[in-house]
Amino acid sequence: MRITHFRRSRHRFFALLGTAALALAGAVALPGTAQAANILTNPGFESGSLSPWTCTGNLGSVVSSPVHGGSKALAGAASSSDNAQCSQTVSVQPNTTYSLSGWVRGSYVYLGVDGGASTWTTSPSAYSQLTVSFTTGASQTSAKIYVHGWYAQGTYYADDISLDGPGGGGGSDTQAPTAPTNLTSTGKTSSSVSLSWGASSDNVGVSAYDIYSGSNQVLSVSGTSATVSGLSPSTAYTFTVKARDAAGNTSAASNSVSVTTNAGGGGGTGFKQAAPYLYLGWGDPPSATSVMSSTGIKWYTMAFMLDGGGCNPMWDSARPLTGGNDQTVINQIRSAGGDIVPSFGGWQGSKLGANCSSASALAGALQKVIDAYGLKAIDMDIENTDEFENEAVQAKILTALKTVKANNPGLKTIVTFGTSTTGPTYYGNRLIEQAQSLNANIDVFTIMPFDFGGGSDMYGNTVNATEGLKAKLKSTFGWDDATAYSHIGISGMNGLSDQQENTTPAIWTQIRDWANSHHIARLAYWAVNRDRPCPGGGVVSNCSGISQNNWQFTSITAGFTG
């Protein structure tokens, strides 16, 4: 499938760069000299979570590459409207000089203290060290340290950030926060439990909340909700939460809440979907209801929802969201007992993910489509350099999906992306890591095992790629095998691919049977338009290029039950 691609140029604004290096306020007489000791918490992000750092727009995440030291680093996905500032507030002593340093990578990355000194550099391809000093005021007892990128400059990275100096107040802050209140469970799967609680108060300020399972601390977060992952199915857990301030004072425990995780086996989402792609703007689209009657298929993935201009969703950027042929066909599908999941994006075209100015704007566009059709699920087909290989856009899409999922109880979210024969590529791994760090709660990660060097063994290489995805989901989310499989989708290509890979009906049957036996969540293929024979016809829009029966791949797909 090819759609003319319109890349919207971005206005790059640097007029404010000169103001970023803030001068120190009036000097304080005879400031003390800080003793060298890093007083930041989680300075190298080696905990695997952001806490106690907080990032604007949910645009910060912890990644495993590229790093400066250790095995983790911070990634901030700066957008056109948000510089992805990540900050941490620490206790300091008055009238004392501190040294702030850190290693950063990216275009126009800043390091500084709120209301005081800052410095910046541009180092797109390698880590570079930034260093700045500041002196606290005569009565200052806390300082907010930050790092951020610059608008529309893409993802920056930061690692090994150090604030050298004595901890705050010489031990004068000994007052602990109040205990968190009303701890409750807001959801669970076979391997995770989601929690929320009422905020604590403190004389200086709460810097983190520590979540305990029994007597073991399992997670630290800066907000008043969290999801504890890596749990065992059908197992009872008891959780409490304690608040902590920057001086290290810890509150009493909250009330306890006991939760038993769901059973394993069939998976964590309970979502199963056989939904081949149907494209009404290409490839002599067949009658959707006739294909349903002939094959037993119930779901279609409808392609493609794009940007009609101004972050306004339209089919193919040209056909109206409602009132046109697309809605007519959707109504017919539903009247015949079926349903649809719209696919946003694709390989080319003017995409909402790339063009909407912010995650909130993108969420608003998605919500228009959800409201228009009363959707049960949406698919984000994240491809090409404008979305898949743009980490800031990845984060924007994931944050938008998190928003609409929270605003539409029961909505299932699917992300679809390319793969290698052994599993996710760098950008696929990055997408999964960002989904975990942003707590996006994606239901299905669907890979596209075609045009991926599959050669003559499309069954074996599809299985290998899917097993690679399973391994990545397990290591990232702490899931067991069954839960990982239950969050996986496969979206193939029937007949000949662009690389002349050949998925025959017999091979697709093997793939479907493997998918059923491993209880994955979703099976799709590109596309019903091509589910017609034309041996020797090549790679075309309205047939498969091989010998087959009409609608044979759709019939096979209809046998997917998960």
Side-chain angles (χ1 to χ4, degrees):
M1 188 275 296
R2 293 291 182 266
I3 301 174
T4 303
H5 178 92
F6 300 96
R7 186 183 299 276
R8 193 172 85 172
S9 62
R10 294 184 176 181
H11 178 59
R12 299 176 183 267
F13 179 68
F14 298 104
L16 294 179
L17 291 180
T19 67
L22 301 177
L24 289 174
V28 178
L30 300 176
T33 301
Q35 300 176 2
N38 189 2
I39 61 173
L40 294 178
T41 301
N42 198 18
F45 308 94
E46 295 302 311
S47 70
S49 68
L50 286 172
S51 181
W53 298 88
T54 58
C55 302
T56 58
N58 289 324
L59 295 177
S61 61
V62 176
V63 297
S64 55
S65 178
V67 301
H68 172 259
S71 61
K72 303 291 182 183
L74 167 70
S79 68
S80 59
S81 60
D82 195 318
N83 63 10
Q85 177 172 296
C86 297
S87 61
Q88 177 179 156
T89 299
V90 295
S91 293
V92 294
Q93 292 188 11
N95 195 32
T96 303
T97 299
Y98 288 81
S99 177
L100 174 64
S101 65
W103 292 86
V104 299
R105 173 177 170 174
S107 297
Y108 301 96
V109 188
Y110 293 76
L111 180 71
V113 57
D114 195 36
S118 69
T119 184
W120 62 274
T121 189
T122 180
S123 180
S125 60
Y127 273 98
S128 177
Q129 189 176 31
L130 291 174
T131 301
V132 65
S133 296
F134 65 93
T135 300
T136 54
S139 60
Q140 184 175 352
T141 58
S142 67
K144 180 180 178 181
I145 305 303
Y146 66 80
V147 59
H148 66 71
W150 195 250
Y151 302 96
Q153 296 304 298
T155 299
Y156 71 87
Y157 303 92
D159 201 1
D160 299 326
I161 302 174
S162 176
L163 180 62
D164 288 337
S172 60
D173 179 16
T174 59
Q175 182 174 332
T178 61
T181 59
N182 194 31
L183 175 64
T184 58
S185 172
T186 57
K188 61 178 180 175
T189 69
S190 64
S191 63
S192 67
V193 171
S194 296
L195 304 167
S196 68
W197 56 90
S200 299
S201 60
D202 184 67
N203 62 315
V204 176
V206 174
S207 61
Y209 292 93
D210 300 325
I211 296 93
Y212 290 80
S213 175
S215 60
N216 298 318
Q217 182 181 334
V218 293
L219 193 64
S220 291
V221 297
S222 57
T224 56
S225 64
T227 297
V228 181
S229 301
L231 307 178
S232 299
S234 303
T235 302
Y237 293 88
T238 299
F239 298 98
T240 55
V241 177
K242 297 179 181 180
R244 174 164 44 88
D245 64 20
N249 301 307
T250 301
S251 75
S254 68
N255 61 291
S256 63
V257 60
S258 295
V259 185
T260 299
T261 51
N262 293 338
T269 69
F271 179 64
K272 306 295 177 183
Q273 187 183 76
Y277 282 80
L278 176 63
Y279 190 14
L280 299 185
W282 170 90
D284 300 331
S287 164
T289 52
S290 294
V291 175
M292 291 172 69
S293 177
S294 298
T295 65
I297 201 71
K298 294 296 185 183
W299 281 81
Y300 290 104
T301 304
M302 298 288 286
F304 279 101
M305 190 63 68
L306 297 172
D307 183 16
C311 192
N312 183 45
M314 296 181 71
W315 295 103
D316 265 0
S317 295
R319 302 189 304 279
L321 174 61
T322 59
N325 183 52
D326 298 85
Q327 183 171 22
T328 298
V329 172
I330 291 169
N331 290 344
Q332 292 169 349
I333 292 169
R334 288 176 165 173
S335 294
D339 211 339
I340 66 102
V341 51
S343 183
F344 295 76
W347 178 255
Q348 289 186 323
S350 185
K351 304 174 192 176
L352 291 160
N355 290 352
C356 292
S357 61
S358 65
S360 60
L362 176 58
L366 300 181
Q367 191 65 51
K368 289 180 182 178
V369 185
I370 294 166
D371 291 342
Y373 289 104
L375 296 174
K376 299 180 180 71
I378 57 174
D379 169 50
M380 297 297 294
D381 190 347
I382 306 172
E383 300 188 53
N384 219 323
T385 56
D386 57 342
E387 288 192 331
F388 187 54
E389 296 180 14
N390 185 319
E391 295 172 3
V393 174
Q394 280 192 8
K396 186 199 308 182
I397 291 171
L398 292 168
T399 304
L401 289 174
K402 177 180 179 179
T403 299
V404 297
K405 189 172 179 68
N407 292 338
N408 299 272
L411 181 75
K412 302 299 183 181
T413 53
I414 304 161
V415 292
T416 299
F417 52 98
T419 185
S420 74
T421 56
T422 57
T425 63
Y426 168 82
Y427 287 104
N429 286 327
R430 181 78 179 89
L431 181 73
I432 293 165
E433 290 167 0
Q434 287 209 85
Q436 188 276 335
S437 180
L438 293 169
N439 197 22
N441 197 19
I442 300 300
D443 291 289
V444 185
F445 295 87
T446 300
I447 54 170
M448 296 184 289
F450 60 89
D451 290 340
F452 73 141
S456 61
D457 187 12
M458 288 299 284
Y459 169 71
N461 282 315
T462 295
V463 169
N464 289 341
T466 310
E467 290 289 359
L469 173 60
K470 180 204 73 172
K472 180 61 179 178
L473 295 178
K474 287 180 64 178
S475 65
T476 302
F477 292 96
W479 292 336
D480 57 20
D481 280 359
T483 305
Y485 283 128
S486 77
H487 286 81
I488 285 176
I490 295 174
S491 182
M493 184 171 180
N494 62 311
L496 294 179
S497 72
D498 301 293
Q499 292 184 0
Q500 299 295 304
E501 302 152 328
N502 187 4
T503 300
T504 65
I507 291 173
W508 190 238
T509 300
Q510 283 184 291
I511 292 171
R512 181 207 61 192
D513 291 347
W514 184 92
N516 277 335
S517 67
H518 289 77
H519 308 297
I520 74 169
R522 173 173 157 88
L523 187 66
Y525 76 88
W526 180 262
V528 177
N529 306 62
R530 302 179 70 247
D531 196 10
R532 295 174 275 214
C534 58
V539 183
V540 291
S541 63
N542 60 357
C543 57
S544 63
I546 65 171
S547 178
Q548 63 158 95
N549 298 325
N550 282 335
W551 324 130
Q552 189 170 3
F553 284 87
T554 307
S555 294
I556 295 166
T557 306
F560 171 73
T561 60

PDB file of all heavy atoms in Angstrom, residues 49-84:
ATOM      1  N   SER A  49      13.103   2.986  36.863  1.00  0.00           N
ATOM      2  CA  SER A  49      11.925   3.849  36.868  1.00  0.00           C
ATOM      3  C   SER A  49      12.379   5.300  36.986  1.00  0.00           C
ATOM      4  O   SER A  49      13.540   5.587  37.297  1.00  0.00           O
ATOM      5  CB  SER A  49      11.000   3.499  38.030  1.00  0.00           C
ATOM      6  OG  SER A  49      11.597   3.833  39.271  1.00  0.00           O
ATOM      7  N   LEU A  50      11.477   6.225  36.756  1.00  0.00           N
ATOM      8  CA  LEU A  50      11.819   7.637  36.820  1.00  0.00           C
ATOM      9  C   LEU A  50      11.913   8.143  38.255  1.00  0.00           C
ATOM     10  O   LEU A  50      12.691   9.046  38.542  1.00  0.00           O
ATOM     11  CB  LEU A  50      10.772   8.463  36.072  1.00  0.00           C
ATOM     12  CG  LEU A  50      10.805   8.392  34.550  1.00  0.00           C
ATOM     13  CD1 LEU A  50       9.589   9.093  33.973  1.00  0.00           C
ATOM     14  CD2 LEU A  50      12.082   9.007  34.001  1.00  0.00           C
ATOM     15  N   SER A  51      11.104   7.613  39.155  1.00  0.00           N
ATOM     16  CA  SER A  51      10.975   8.138  40.508  1.00  0.00           C
ATOM     17  C   SER A  51      12.334   8.324  41.187  1.00  0.00           C
ATOM     18  O   SER A  51      13.212   7.466  41.071  1.00  0.00           O
ATOM     19  CB  SER A  51      10.113   7.191  41.347  1.00  0.00           C
ATOM     20  OG  SER A  51       9.964   7.689  42.650  1.00  0.00           O
ATOM     21  N   PRO A  52      12.557   9.470  41.851  1.00  0.00           N
ATOM     22  CA  PRO A  52      11.600  10.545  42.136  1.00  0.00           C
ATOM     23  C   PRO A  52      11.600  11.673  41.100  1.00  0.00           C
ATOM     24  O   PRO A  52      11.075  12.756  41.377  1.00  0.00           O
ATOM     25  CB  PRO A  52      12.083  11.059  43.490  1.00  0.00           C
ATOM     26  CG  PRO A  52      13.571  10.926  43.400  1.00  0.00           C
ATOM     27  CD  PRO A  52      13.802   9.653  42.626  1.00  0.00           C
ATOM     28  N   TRP A  53      12.202  11.470  39.926  1.00  0.00           N
ATOM     29  CA  TRP A  53      12.125  12.456  38.861  1.00  0.00           C
ATOM     30  C   TRP A  53      10.686  12.511  38.341  1.00  0.00           C
ATOM     31  O   TRP A  53      10.005  11.490  38.268  1.00  0.00           O
ATOM     32  CB  TRP A  53      13.057  12.092  37.711  1.00  0.00           C
ATOM     33  CG  TRP A  53      14.513  12.057  38.061  1.00  0.00           C
ATOM     34  CD1 TRP A  53      15.216  10.998  38.547  1.00  0.00           C
ATOM     35  CD2 TRP A  53      15.441  13.130  37.949  1.00  0.00           C
ATOM     36  NE1 TRP A  53      16.537  11.342  38.746  1.00  0.00           N
ATOM     37  CE2 TRP A  53      16.703  12.650  38.381  1.00  0.00           C
ATOM     38  CE3 TRP A  53      15.344  14.456  37.519  1.00  0.00           C
ATOM     39  CZ2 TRP A  53      17.840  13.441  38.391  1.00  0.00           C
ATOM     40  CZ3 TRP A  53      16.481  15.249  37.527  1.00  0.00           C
ATOM     41  CH2 TRP A  53      17.715  14.748  37.965  1.00  0.00           C
ATOM     42  N   THR A  54      10.233  13.682  37.959  1.00  0.00           N
ATOM     43  CA  THR A  54       8.941  13.831  37.297  1.00  0.00           C
ATOM     44  C   THR A  54       9.163  14.601  36.004  1.00  0.00           C
ATOM     45  O   THR A  54      10.015  15.501  35.941  1.00  0.00           O
ATOM     46  CB  THR A  54       7.927  14.583  38.168  1.00  0.00           C
ATOM     47  OG1 THR A  54       8.453  15.884  38.503  1.00  0.00           O
ATOM     48  CG2 THR A  54       7.639  13.820  39.442  1.00  0.00           C
ATOM     49  N   CYS A  55       8.409  14.256  34.963  1.00  0.00           N
ATOM     50  CA  CYS A  55       8.614  14.830  33.635  1.00  0.00           C
ATOM     51  C   CYS A  55       7.318  15.421  33.107  1.00  0.00           C
ATOM     52  O   CYS A  55       6.252  14.805  33.238  1.00  0.00           O
ATOM     53  CB  CYS A  55       9.133  13.763  32.663  1.00  0.00           C
ATOM     54  SG  CYS A  55      10.682  12.989  33.197  1.00  0.00           S
ATOM     55  N   THR A  56       7.405  16.593  32.514  1.00  0.00           N
ATOM     56  CA  THR A  56       6.225  17.258  31.967  1.00  0.00           C
ATOM     57  C   THR A  56       5.640  16.447  30.814  1.00  0.00           C
ATOM     58  O   THR A  56       6.361  15.819  30.042  1.00  0.00           O
ATOM     59  CB  THR A  56       6.572  18.670  31.475  1.00  0.00           C
ATOM     60  OG1 THR A  56       7.599  18.588  30.476  1.00  0.00           O
ATOM     61  CG2 THR A  56       7.055  19.539  32.625  1.00  0.00           C
ATOM     62  N   GLY A  57       4.318  16.471  30.705  1.00  0.00           N
ATOM     63  CA  GLY A  57       3.637  15.827  29.593  1.00  0.00           C
ATOM     64  C   GLY A  57       3.772  14.321  29.524  1.00  0.00           C
ATOM     65  O   GLY A  57       3.504  13.720  28.481  1.00  0.00           O
ATOM     66  N   ASN A  58       4.221  13.686  30.619  1.00  0.00           N
ATOM     67  CA  ASN A  58       4.485  12.233  30.587  1.00  0.00           C
ATOM     68  C   ASN A  58       5.460  11.864  29.476  1.00  0.00           C
ATOM     69  O   ASN A  58       5.386  10.771  28.908  1.00  0.00           O
ATOM     70  CB  ASN A  58       3.186  11.436  30.413  1.00  0.00           C
ATOM     71  CG  ASN A  58       2.320  11.457  31.640  1.00  0.00           C
ATOM     72  OD1 ASN A  58       2.824  11.442  32.757  1.00  0.00           O
ATOM     73  ND2 ASN A  58       1.015  11.523  31.453  1.00  0.00           N
ATOM     74  N   LEU A  59       6.401  12.757  29.169  1.00  0.00           N
ATOM     75  CA  LEU A  59       7.288  12.570  28.022  1.00  0.00           C
ATOM     76  C   LEU A  59       8.647  11.996  28.404  1.00  0.00           C
ATOM     77  O   LEU A  59       9.514  11.862  27.540  1.00  0.00           O
ATOM     78  CB  LEU A  59       7.473  13.902  27.287  1.00  0.00           C
ATOM     79  CG  LEU A  59       6.206  14.475  26.637  1.00  0.00           C
ATOM     80  CD1 LEU A  59       6.487  15.825  25.996  1.00  0.00           C
ATOM     81  CD2 LEU A  59       5.654  13.510  25.607  1.00  0.00           C
ATOM     82  N   GLY A  60       8.852  11.667  29.670  1.00  0.00           N
ATOM     83  CA  GLY A  60      10.102  11.059  30.090  1.00  0.00           C
ATOM     84  C   GLY A  60       9.973   9.562  30.224  1.00  0.00           C
ATOM     85  O   GLY A  60       8.913   9.038  30.555  1.00  0.00           O
ATOM     86  N   SER A  61      11.056   8.834  29.956  1.00  0.00           N
ATOM     87  CA  SER A  61      11.068   7.381  30.116  1.00  0.00           C
ATOM     88  C   SER A  61      12.493   6.935  30.396  1.00  0.00           C
ATOM     89  O   SER A  61      13.457   7.655  30.140  1.00  0.00           O
ATOM     90  CB  SER A  61      10.522   6.679  28.877  1.00  0.00           C
ATOM     91  OG  SER A  61      11.310   6.975  27.734  1.00  0.00           O
ATOM     92  N   VAL A  62      12.614   5.735  30.948  1.00  0.00           N
ATOM     93  CA  VAL A  62      13.924   5.146  31.211  1.00  0.00           C
ATOM     94  C   VAL A  62      14.224   4.142  30.106  1.00  0.00           C
ATOM     95  O   VAL A  62      13.389   3.287  29.788  1.00  0.00           O
ATOM     96  CB  VAL A  62      13.949   4.466  32.588  1.00  0.00           C
ATOM     97  CG1 VAL A  62      15.288   3.770  32.824  1.00  0.00           C
ATOM     98  CG2 VAL A  62      13.700   5.491  33.691  1.00  0.00           C
ATOM     99  N   VAL A  63      15.415   4.244  29.516  1.00  0.00           N
ATOM    100  CA  VAL A  63      15.777   3.391  28.387  1.00  0.00           C
ATOM    101  C   VAL A  63      17.087   2.672  28.679  1.00  0.00           C
ATOM    102  O   VAL A  63      17.861   3.062  29.567  1.00  0.00           O
ATOM    103  CB  VAL A  63      15.909   4.217  27.088  1.00  0.00           C
ATOM    104  CG1 VAL A  63      14.579   4.857  26.712  1.00  0.00           C
ATOM    105  CG2 VAL A  63      16.993   5.289  27.229  1.00  0.00           C
ATOM    106  N   SER A  64      17.324   1.626  27.919  1.00  0.00           N
ATOM    107  CA  SER A  64      18.562   0.859  28.075  1.00  0.00           C
ATOM    108  C   SER A  64      19.609   1.218  27.032  1.00  0.00           C
ATOM    109  O   SER A  64      20.733   0.712  27.096  1.00  0.00           O
ATOM    110  CB  SER A  64      18.256  -0.638  28.002  1.00  0.00           C
ATOM    111  OG  SER A  64      17.576  -0.970  26.813  1.00  0.00           O
ATOM    112  N   SER A  65      19.268   2.078  26.090  1.00  0.00           N
ATOM    113  CA  SER A  65      20.223   2.522  25.077  1.00  0.00           C
ATOM    114  C   SER A  65      19.698   3.806  24.444  1.00  0.00           C
ATOM    115  O   SER A  65      18.488   3.918  24.206  1.00  0.00           O
ATOM    116  CB  SER A  65      20.409   1.433  24.015  1.00  0.00           C
ATOM    117  OG  SER A  65      21.294   1.854  22.994  1.00  0.00           O
ATOM    118  N   PRO A  66      20.602   4.792  24.210  1.00  0.00           N
ATOM    119  CA  PRO A  66      22.022   4.833  24.557  1.00  0.00           C
ATOM    120  C   PRO A  66      22.220   5.280  26.007  1.00  0.00           C
ATOM    121  O   PRO A  66      21.444   6.089  26.510  1.00  0.00           O
ATOM    122  CB  PRO A  66      22.573   5.880  23.587  1.00  0.00           C
ATOM    123  CG  PRO A  66      21.419   6.823  23.380  1.00  0.00           C
ATOM    124  CD  PRO A  66      20.175   5.972  23.438  1.00  0.00           C
ATOM    125  N   VAL A  67      23.241   4.748  26.659  1.00  0.00           N
ATOM    126  CA  VAL A  67      23.551   5.129  28.028  1.00  0.00           C
ATOM    127  C   VAL A  67      24.959   5.690  28.095  1.00  0.00           C
ATOM    128  O   VAL A  67      25.795   5.404  27.231  1.00  0.00           O
ATOM    129  CB  VAL A  67      23.408   3.939  28.995  1.00  0.00           C
ATOM    130  CG1 VAL A  67      21.996   3.379  28.948  1.00  0.00           C
ATOM    131  CG2 VAL A  67      24.422   2.850  28.677  1.00  0.00           C
ATOM    132  N   HIS A  68      25.233   6.465  29.152  1.00  0.00           N
ATOM    133  CA  HIS A  68      26.604   6.928  29.393  1.00  0.00           C
ATOM    134  C   HIS A  68      27.332   5.999  30.346  1.00  0.00           C
ATOM    135  O   HIS A  68      28.469   5.611  30.116  1.00  0.00           O
ATOM    136  CB  HIS A  68      26.611   8.354  29.952  1.00  0.00           C
ATOM    137  CG  HIS A  68      27.980   8.799  30.390  1.00  0.00           C
ATOM    138  ND1 HIS A  68      28.368   8.802  31.716  1.00  0.00           N
ATOM    139  CD2 HIS A  68      29.055   9.200  29.676  1.00  0.00           C
ATOM    140  CE1 HIS A  68      29.630   9.208  31.797  1.00  0.00           C
ATOM    141  NE2 HIS A  68      30.062   9.464  30.574  1.00  0.00           N
ATOM    142  N   GLY A  69      26.660   5.636  31.431  1.00  0.00           N
ATOM    143  CA  GLY A  69      27.224   4.715  32.404  1.00  0.00           C
ATOM    144  C   GLY A  69      26.142   3.794  32.918  1.00  0.00           C
ATOM    145  O   GLY A  69      24.964   4.136  32.898  1.00  0.00           O
ATOM    146  N   GLY A  70      26.514   2.629  33.376  1.00  0.00           N
ATOM    147  CA  GLY A  70      25.525   1.678  33.856  1.00  0.00           C
ATOM    148  C   GLY A  70      24.711   1.098  32.719  1.00  0.00           C
ATOM    149  O   GLY A  70      25.170   1.006  31.580  1.00  0.00           O
ATOM    150  N   SER A  71      23.457   0.749  33.012  1.00  0.00           N
ATOM    151  CA  SER A  71      22.613   0.082  32.008  1.00  0.00           C
ATOM    152  C   SER A  71      21.350   0.857  31.676  1.00  0.00           C
ATOM    153  O   SER A  71      20.553   0.400  30.862  1.00  0.00           O
ATOM    154  CB  SER A  71      22.221  -1.314  32.504  1.00  0.00           C
ATOM    155  OG  SER A  71      21.480  -1.216  33.716  1.00  0.00           O
ATOM    156  N   LYS A  72      21.142   2.048  32.297  1.00  0.00           N
ATOM    157  CA  LYS A  72      19.929   2.806  32.058  1.00  0.00           C
ATOM    158  C   LYS A  72      20.262   4.285  31.862  1.00  0.00           C
ATOM    159  O   LYS A  72      21.315   4.766  32.275  1.00  0.00           O
ATOM    160  CB  LYS A  72      18.942   2.665  33.225  1.00  0.00           C
ATOM    161  CG  LYS A  72      18.538   1.237  33.572  1.00  0.00           C
ATOM    162  CD  LYS A  72      17.676   0.621  32.500  1.00  0.00           C
ATOM    163  CE  LYS A  72      17.250  -0.789  32.916  1.00  0.00           C
ATOM    164  NZ  LYS A  72      16.445  -1.448  31.845  1.00  0.00           N
ATOM    165  N   ALA A  73      19.322   4.990  31.221  1.00  0.00           N
ATOM    166  CA  ALA A  73      19.440   6.436  31.037  1.00  0.00           C
ATOM    167  C   ALA A  73      18.042   7.011  30.909  1.00  0.00           C
ATOM    168  O   ALA A  73      17.055   6.287  30.732  1.00  0.00           O
ATOM    169  CB  ALA A  73      20.281   6.772  29.804  1.00  0.00           C
ATOM    170  N   LEU A  74      17.948   8.335  31.000  1.00  0.00           N
ATOM    171  CA  LEU A  74      16.697   9.050  30.815  1.00  0.00           C
ATOM    172  C   LEU A  74      16.543   9.433  29.352  1.00  0.00           C
ATOM    173  O   LEU A  74      17.503   9.899  28.718  1.00  0.00           O
ATOM    174  CB  LEU A  74      16.690  10.312  31.681  1.00  0.00           C
ATOM    175  CG  LEU A  74      15.585  11.341  31.394  1.00  0.00           C
ATOM    176  CD1 LEU A  74      14.229  10.810  31.830  1.00  0.00           C
ATOM    177  CD2 LEU A  74      15.892  12.667  32.079  1.00  0.00           C
ATOM    178  N   ALA A  75      15.342   9.261  28.808  1.00  0.00           N
ATOM    179  CA  ALA A  75      14.999   9.783  27.488  1.00  0.00           C
ATOM    180  C   ALA A  75      13.838  10.745  27.647  1.00  0.00           C
ATOM    181  O   ALA A  75      12.833  10.415  28.278  1.00  0.00           O
ATOM    182  CB  ALA A  75      14.629   8.660  26.535  1.00  0.00           C
ATOM    183  N   GLY A  76      13.974  11.946  27.102  1.00  0.00           N
ATOM    184  CA  GLY A  76      12.907  12.939  27.132  1.00  0.00           C
ATOM    185  C   GLY A  76      12.461  13.248  25.720  1.00  0.00           C
ATOM    186  O   GLY A  76      13.248  13.736  24.909  1.00  0.00           O
ATOM    187  N   ALA A  77      11.207  12.944  25.415  1.00  0.00           N
ATOM    188  CA  ALA A  77      10.696  13.061  24.043  1.00  0.00           C
ATOM    189  C   ALA A  77      10.102  14.457  23.828  1.00  0.00           C
ATOM    190  O   ALA A  77       8.883  14.653  23.834  1.00  0.00           O
ATOM    191  CB  ALA A  77       9.660  11.979  23.769  1.00  0.00           C
ATOM    192  N   ALA A  78      10.966  15.459  23.617  1.00  0.00           N
ATOM    193  CA  ALA A  78      10.511  16.833  23.430  1.00  0.00           C
ATOM    194  C   ALA A  78       9.644  16.943  22.178  1.00  0.00           C
ATOM    195  O   ALA A  78       9.964  16.375  21.136  1.00  0.00           O
ATOM    196  CB  ALA A  78      11.701  17.772  23.339  1.00  0.00           C
ATOM    197  N   SER A  79       8.532  17.663  22.295  1.00  0.00           N
ATOM    198  CA  SER A  79       7.618  17.843  21.171  1.00  0.00           C
ATOM    199  C   SER A  79       7.611  19.315  20.771  1.00  0.00           C
ATOM    200  O   SER A  79       8.344  20.142  21.325  1.00  0.00           O
ATOM    201  CB  SER A  79       6.209  17.393  21.562  1.00  0.00           C
ATOM    202  OG  SER A  79       5.667  18.272  22.530  1.00  0.00           O
ATOM    203  N   SER A  80       6.750  19.643  19.810  1.00  0.00           N
ATOM    204  CA  SER A  80       6.670  21.028  19.370  1.00  0.00           C
ATOM    205  C   SER A  80       6.067  21.942  20.432  1.00  0.00           C
ATOM    206  O   SER A  80       6.213  23.159  20.357  1.00  0.00           O
ATOM    207  CB  SER A  80       5.843  21.123  18.085  1.00  0.00           C
ATOM    208  OG  SER A  80       4.537  20.617  18.299  1.00  0.00           O
ATOM    209  N   SER A  81       5.411  21.356  21.438  1.00  0.00           N
ATOM    210  CA  SER A  81       4.757  22.176  22.466  1.00  0.00           C
ATOM    211  C   SER A  81       5.242  21.895  23.883  1.00  0.00           C
ATOM    212  O   SER A  81       4.758  22.504  24.828  1.00  0.00           O
ATOM    213  CB  SER A  81       3.236  21.961  22.411  1.00  0.00           C
ATOM    214  OG  SER A  81       2.914  20.601  22.629  1.00  0.00           O
ATOM    215  N   ASP A  82       6.184  20.973  24.051  1.00  0.00           N
ATOM    216  CA  ASP A  82       6.634  20.579  25.391  1.00  0.00           C
ATOM    217  C   ASP A  82       8.111  20.198  25.306  1.00  0.00           C
ATOM    218  O   ASP A  82       8.495  19.359  24.489  1.00  0.00           O
ATOM    219  CB  ASP A  82       5.816  19.381  25.893  1.00  0.00           C
ATOM    220  CG  ASP A  82       5.955  19.145  27.392  1.00  0.00           C
ATOM    221  OD1 ASP A  82       7.089  19.247  27.902  1.00  0.00           O
ATOM    222  OD2 ASP A  82       4.943  18.845  28.039  1.00  0.00           O
ATOM    223  N   ASN A  83       8.942  20.813  26.164  1.00  0.00           N
ATOM    224  CA  ASN A  83      10.378  20.526  26.114  1.00  0.00           C
ATOM    225  C   ASN A  83      10.772  19.309  26.941  1.00  0.00           C
ATOM    226  O   ASN A  83      11.941  19.015  27.123  1.00  0.00           O
ATOM    227  CB  ASN A  83      11.199  21.751  26.544  1.00  0.00           C
ATOM    228  CG  ASN A  83      10.937  22.166  27.993  1.00  0.00           C
ATOM    229  OD1 ASN A  83      10.280  21.449  28.748  1.00  0.00           O
ATOM    230  ND2 ASN A  83      11.452  23.331  28.385  1.00  0.00           N
ATOM    231  N   ALA A  84       9.789  18.573  27.460  1.00  0.00           N
ATOM    232  CA  ALA A  84      10.030  17.323  28.197  1.00  0.00           C
ATOM    233  C   ALA A  84      10.964  17.543  29.380  1.00  0.00           C
ATOM    234  O   ALA A  84      11.939  16.819  29.568  1.00  0.00           O
ATOM    235  CB  ALA A  84      10.562  16.234  27.277  1.00  0.00           C
TER     236      ALA A  84
END
